[in-house]
Amino acid sequence: MKSILLGVAVLLLAISLSACNPDEPAPAGDLSSSLAMVNRTGFPGPSYERSFVFMTTATDSLLLVPWLLETTLDSNTVFREAHGWVDRDGTWEPFLAERWQTPPTRYPARILPYGTFRIVVGENDRVDGIIYTDGLRNLELALGRSVAQWGGPREERLRLLEASLHLGEQGLNGIVLDMTRLNSSDTPVRGDWAFLTSGDSLQIVVQGDLEHDIETPPNYRGWGLLDSKELQWPSLRIDWVQVSAYQPARRDLPISWALSSPIASVVGTLEVLASEIVTGTESGPVLSVQALFEVVGTISIDGLSFPVRGLFNHRRR
């Protein structure tokens, strides 16, 4: 496990690599979700999502830290966003909200630092850490050993890594999901996704092929690590069992789900414990919405049942 104490020299190197060489290829795409990106649905170009989700694996309490990054291309501008939240004991606190623009580049998916948001770059442009600094407020995420990695049919890339989080004076160990997704202008927008754990024995990632419509649920794909065994499920169904009317967006939002598979012995249930919801500001009868849900539930794999908890990310444009 890498130390969370990231040296000043390493930080300066990271900033230099990122800012001075923007046309070098990155190991994966850039970046996912929040208010302003929810509002920019009319742009014709593709968007790149890069999500880092830190989660503690201790059984007594849960700490979630999603960093959701997104880059959207227009004909002559690259729109970039970086957002972050801390969810501790069911209380969501936003800490990072940066929006900026850059000129076109050969590799727009490359992560760039800006404002309070910094990155630490290792060999081959690998992201080794993320830093938020605003006055006396400081949060540092150090990425360690990779424990699993997968790819999907639409160029998505997923990795699970050991990680350390330094929040103020507190240091915590856990696991991180590093997920990259591409939304092209000629294919349907990617759907909801979730990152779930059961202690340190089970980690699961699920992703919808399309945005979720309550009347016609899309196909979901799943990836898992059970102890040291890697699992994949090319076809999962996730139904909304209960919904709640969310009047600011004039939409129904899910508050519980049922998971099943027609070709694999996996079933489960999830329900919302706490949520952070961002509503778009565009005009219209319904508004776009970004919802981060802290969820708990149970997943059964081949007859073995596991209590799970984690993050369910729901977005409707």
Side-chain angles (χ1 to χ4, degrees):
M1 185 75 65
K2 296 185 177 181
S3 169
I4 191 66
L5 300 178
L6 305 173
V8 173
V10 177
L11 172 58
L12 292 175
L13 174 62
I15 297 171
S16 174
L17 287 171
S18 300
C20 298
N21 300 298
D23 288 336
E24 293 298 320
D30 236 356
L31 314 180
S32 163
S33 352
S34 233
L35 176 61
M37 296 309 299
V38 163
N39 292 336
R40 283 207 280 267
T41 56
F43 288 160
S47 66
Y48 302 90
E49 301 177 20
R50 187 76 177 269
S51 302
F52 296 90
V53 182
F54 173 86
M55 192 185 314
T56 53
T57 54
T59 57
D60 53 345
S61 63
L62 175 67
L63 187 137
L64 271 171
V65 183
W67 308 69
L68 304 184
L69 316 171
E70 187 164 5
T71 298
T72 300
L73 276 65
D74 199 358
S75 58
N76 56 5
T77 306
V78 180
F79 297 92
R80 300 180 181 272
E81 296 212 10
H83 291 262
W85 296 263
V86 173
D87 172 33
R88 183 164 31 194
D89 297 326
T91 300
W92 286 90
E93 178 187 359
F95 66 88
L96 171 67
E98 296 286 3
R99 299 170 53 194
W100 71 104
Q101 301 176 16
T102 59
T105 173
R106 290 172 55 200
Y107 297 101
R110 181 185 179 87
I111 298 176
L112 298 180
Y114 184 83
T116 59
F117 169 65
R118 296 289 184 266
I119 58 174
V120 176
V121 179
E123 295 180 356
N124 300 318
D125 283 344
R126 181 188 64 245
V127 177
D128 283 344
I130 305 175
I131 299 174
Y132 165 80
T133 302
D134 185 10
L136 298 178
R137 300 186 68 190
N138 179 266
L139 189 151
E140 301 177 4
L141 176 67
L143 304 178
R145 181 179 67 92
S146 176
V147 296
Q149 55 185 345
W150 303 283
R154 289 175 59 188
E155 301 183 27
E156 59 265 40
R157 283 178 277 182
L158 306 95
R159 289 195 304 158
L160 297 179
L161 306 103
E162 296 177 345
S164 299
L165 182 75
H166 191 202
L167 183 60
E169 299 299 321
Q170 184 181 20
L172 298 165
N173 293 328
I175 193 163
V176 158
L177 167 66
D178 174 4
M179 181 171 66
T180 302
R181 305 199 304 178
L182 166 66
N183 292 302
S184 64
S185 55
D186 56 354
T187 57
V189 175
R190 302 296 187 95
D192 297 352
W193 55 266
F195 177 37
L196 310 169
T197 70
S198 183
D200 58 3
S201 61
L202 175 67
Q203 295 84 40
I204 292 176
V205 182
V206 297
Q207 172 194 255
D209 289 345
L210 307 171
E211 286 194 347
H212 197 120
D213 187 301
I214 192 169
E215 296 181 356
T216 56
N219 180 66
Y220 281 76
R221 302 175 189 273
W223 300 264
L225 184 66
L226 178 55
D227 295 324
S228 59
K229 181 180 179 181
E230 294 190 12
L231 308 169
Q232 292 195 47
W233 304 288
S235 180
L236 294 173
R237 182 183 175 99
I238 298 182
D239 291 293
W240 294 5
V241 177
Q242 291 182 293
V243 299
S244 177
Y246 182 66
Q247 291 303 324
R250 298 180 286 279
R251 290 185 182 272
D252 288 340
L253 298 182
I255 57 175
S256 68
W257 302 260
L259 181 150
S260 61
S261 173
I263 60 175
S265 298
V266 53
V267 296
T269 59
L270 298 170
E271 63 180 23
V272 174
L273 281 185
S275 61
E276 172 76 359
I277 302 172
V278 180
T279 306
T281 58
E282 69 278 5
S283 59
V286 293
L287 303 181
S288 52
V289 66
Q290 168 89 41
L292 302 175
F293 296 121
E294 178 189 338
V295 296
V296 295
T298 302
I299 300 291
S300 177
I301 302 172
D302 295 331
L304 298 176
S305 184
F306 301 89
V308 295
R309 60 187 185 176
L311 174 70
F312 199 109
N313 181 68
H314 170 66
R315 187 176 184 184
R316 291 297 302 274
R317 295 164 177 82

